[in-house]
Amino acid sequence: MRHTSGLGACPSNVHFGLDRQRALWFLGGMAKTFKSWDVDQPVLLPPSVQELVPAGHLAHFVRDLVRESLDVSAILTPYTEDRGFPPYDPTMMTALLLYAYSQGVYASRRIAKACEERVDFMAVTARQSPDFRTISDFRKRHLPALGGLFTQVLQLCQQAGLVRLGHVALDGTKIRANASKHKAMSYSRMQTAEPALAAEVAQWLAQAATSDAHEDAAYGVDRRGDELPEWVTNKQHRVEKIRAAKAALEAEAQAKALGKKRTADLPSDRPRRGRPAKNPPGTPHARAQRNFTDPDSRIMKTQDGFIQGYNAQAAVDAEHQVIVAQGLTNQASDAHQLEPMLAHIKANTGRQARELSADAGYCFEHNLTALNRHHVRGYVATGRQKHGAASAVGRRKTVPRTRVHAMTIRLKRAGYRSRYRLRKQVVEPVFGQIKQARGFRQFLLRGQLQVAGEWSLLCSVHNLLKLAGARG
């Protein structure tokens, strides 16, 4: 028996194994040949990594750059043990980290997942899939050497003609630390919390000892029940952390007081004028804070409120927005960062910038003196620039015959033509590319040395992308 319909006729005992759309096409007499789609067909020969992504892709560029142009001997040197299972090639791991950072993938678990799912990552690793712990340990172990790649990448940018040093813009940005600001405690709170917690713990210890004595009498000394409760141990641990943080703040205050005493202009035997200090010399300020998770990080004010973080510095060349110097500090103020950045520019590039622009956070007499000493023509704002204003002078009162006053006159005289206008269009987009476009909002590591290495790695990747963009 045959069944007919408006679309045509077909045997009722035939099973086509097609979806509804393809069956309708067949029954309607509009048969079409499609490309074969056999998901169970194995690959007879392994594909080349060159075939995974198109030619000219960034994955090929980063992989070949690390293999052929970067000196990774500092990373290879620690591998001297012949025994054991062969580790992943350190050169491949370096290329993997650089490419992952260029794609806005920073967490080791996400990098490991990308090695299994994304063909562009497979093109870098030659289809190898290191687990997240291997990636994390490699980054921690070789972070100083990875941070040292910044200079090599910058030199490649120089050779490609991307660095002119005609005008360099300097600025800092606050980035969150891998710690919560709610895990910080002020020195005044430590002074009140420590004795209260210590008394509470002592009371619990006494209760525990009494309870142990009753249990020993009731159950015998060999029976369990004599351990301290967990809530006692946790409180005791918190007291120990508070005492350690309090001692660290006191040590910092004493070191700071000793440094001021050595550099004081007045003899120490002269009486102090004015009102007495609220805090005796060598003691921390009552509002001085220390974070238990990352003690090196500090509370810093940003446009979005207060964060627990670090102050990342970058000096950017105006020609192609290449970072020519970078640094990181846990000081919220930029006041003491200009002179070190000038030294980094000279050390990294072999020569000094002709011009440098910076915002009002760097406008201090000693900074302007440093610019003059290094023969750099400076354009440093002396105040906050209002919207639509011709210059960044502001309402700051200046003392005549000082460099700050001379800078005010220089910016006013140039008006809209001032070279200071280059600052926002040079350095601000770089921070936007790192924090917004590539999504880096918080450091993964802890401790100032580790975080400084991570920031150096981020700046290396930024310059690497500028170098990749100049290929065409």
Side-chain angles (χ1 to χ4, degrees):
M1 172 184 268
R2 301 176 67 89
H3 296 274
T4 61
S5 66
L7 296 176
C10 65
S12 60
N13 59 347
V14 177
H15 175 67
F16 292 99
L18 304 175
D19 58 18
R20 179 178 178 84
Q21 183 180 2
R22 295 176 65 190
L24 291 175
W25 272 71
F26 181 80
L27 294 175
M30 294 178 286
K32 178 67 176 178
T33 302
F34 298 99
K35 290 184 178 181
S36 176
W37 181 37
D38 189 353
V39 296
D40 297 322
Q41 174 64 42
V43 179
L44 298 179
L45 297 175
S48 170
V49 293
Q50 307 292 341
E51 302 173 357
L52 296 177
V53 295
H57 194 276
L58 181 64
H60 297 316
F61 175 78
V62 173
R63 183 195 63 234
D64 296 339
L65 181 76
V66 175
R67 294 173 62 194
E68 301 170 3
S69 302
L70 296 185
D71 181 11
V72 293
S73 57
I75 299 176
L76 296 173
T77 300
Y79 294 93
T80 57
E81 181 61 53
D82 295 331
R83 297 174 296 178
F85 191 79
Y88 288 101
D89 190 334
T91 306
M92 182 274 289
M93 296 292 293
T94 302
L96 172 61
L97 282 176
L98 290 177
Y99 182 72
Y101 272 56
S102 72
Q103 299 300 299
V105 182
Y106 308 105
S108 56
R109 284 178 171 84
R110 292 184 60 198
I111 297 175
K113 185 178 181 180
C115 291
E116 299 174 352
E117 298 179 352
R118 291 179 52 169
V119 292
D120 53 341
F121 278 75
M122 296 178 189
V124 175
T125 64
R127 303 186 69 183
Q128 299 182 45
S129 301
D131 63 89
F132 76 93
R133 185 59 60 193
T134 300
I135 297 172
S136 177
D137 292 343
F138 180 86
R139 177 167 48 192
K140 291 178 181 179
R141 180 182 183 184
H142 302 289
L143 189 60
L146 291 171
L149 297 177
F150 172 79
T151 305
Q152 296 189 46
V153 176
L154 177 59
Q155 290 174 353
L156 293 177
C157 292
Q158 282 185 277
Q159 296 172 9
L162 302 180
V163 178
R164 301 292 178 83
L165 294 179
H167 186 96
V168 172
L170 172 64
D171 201 0
T173 182
K174 308 298 191 301
I175 302 180
R176 295 181 185 274
N178 189 2
S180 171
K181 64 182 179 181
H182 302 293
K183 292 297 182 181
M185 183 179 288
S186 65
Y187 184 72
S188 60
R189 186 180 173 191
M190 291 180 189
Q191 288 180 310
T192 57
E194 180 193 358
L197 281 175
E200 188 176 359
V201 170
Q203 180 182 0
W204 288 342
L205 290 174
Q207 293 176 358
T210 304
S211 177
D212 289 342
H214 288 304
E215 290 177 357
D216 289 343
Y219 305 110
V221 294
D222 295 332
R223 300 291 300 273
R224 291 191 59 84
D226 56 340
E227 294 87 3
L228 293 178
E230 183 181 359
W231 43 272
V232 175
T233 306
N234 290 340
K235 288 289 185 179
Q236 181 65 39
H237 180 63
R238 183 166 179 80
V239 172
E240 294 172 358
K241 293 185 70 173
I242 291 176
R243 287 174 177 170
K246 183 180 175 183
L249 285 176
E250 292 172 349
E252 290 178 3
Q254 292 176 0
K256 187 176 181 180
L258 183 61
K260 286 185 177 179
K261 183 177 180 180
R262 289 177 177 176
T263 57
D265 295 330
L266 297 177
S268 58
D269 56 347
R270 295 185 62 177
R272 178 184 174 90
R273 296 182 178 180
R275 291 180 296 181
K278 295 181 179 179
N279 296 91
T283 60
H285 194 278
R287 291 180 293 178
Q289 291 190 347
R290 188 173 180 85
N291 191 275
F292 296 133
T293 307
D294 185 356
D296 292 342
S297 62
R298 296 291 184 268
I299 294 288
M300 298 184 180
K301 185 179 181 180
T302 66
Q303 294 181 351
D304 299 326
F306 291 91
I307 65 170
Q308 188 79 32
Y310 290 92
N311 185 359
Q313 299 283 314
V316 182
D317 185 81
E319 190 69 21
H320 292 280
Q321 293 182 343
V322 172
I323 300 176
V324 294
Q326 52 81 26
L328 184 131
T329 178
N330 60 2
Q331 300 177 5
S333 173
D334 296 327
H336 299 286
Q337 305 307 317
L338 188 143
E339 192 166 8
M341 295 301 289
L342 287 175
H344 291 332
I345 293 174
K346 182 66 178 294
N348 294 339
T349 63
R351 54 196 179 96
Q352 192 55 265
R354 292 194 296 271
E355 297 177 355
L356 184 141
S357 60
D359 62 19
Y362 299 89
C363 188
F364 293 91
E365 196 72 14
H366 65 275
N367 285 340
L368 302 183
T369 303
L371 287 173
N372 184 69
R373 186 169 61 252
H374 288 84
H375 306 287
V376 177
R377 185 169 179 82
Y379 297 91
V380 184
T382 59
R384 186 175 180 86
Q385 184 177 8
K386 291 186 177 181
H387 182 69
S391 61
V393 175
R395 300 180 179 178
R396 177 176 178 178
K397 294 183 179 180
T398 57
V399 180
R401 297 183 181 180
T402 61
R403 298 189 185 277
V404 175
H405 185 72
M407 182 62 65
T408 302
I409 297 175
R410 175 182 297 177
L411 297 179
K412 274 186 176 181
R413 185 174 298 165
Y416 288 106
R417 297 174 299 167
S418 173
R419 301 286 287 175
Y420 176 78
R421 74 186 190 280
L422 298 176
R423 186 193 69 83
K424 288 185 178 180
Q425 66 192 52
V426 171
V427 66
E428 295 293 348
V430 171
F431 292 144
Q433 292 162 23
I434 293 175
K435 300 172 72 173
Q436 186 66 30
R438 293 192 285 278
F440 191 87
R441 295 287 187 172
Q442 179 175 343
F443 289 108
L444 300 178
L445 304 179
R446 295 170 180 169
Q448 187 169 350
L449 290 177
Q450 299 288 324
V451 173
E454 192 173 5
W455 174 244
S456 180
L457 182 59
L458 285 165
C459 294
S460 301
V461 171
H462 173 83
N463 288 348
L464 189 147
L465 289 173
K466 294 298 181 182
L467 187 62
R471 290 179 295 166

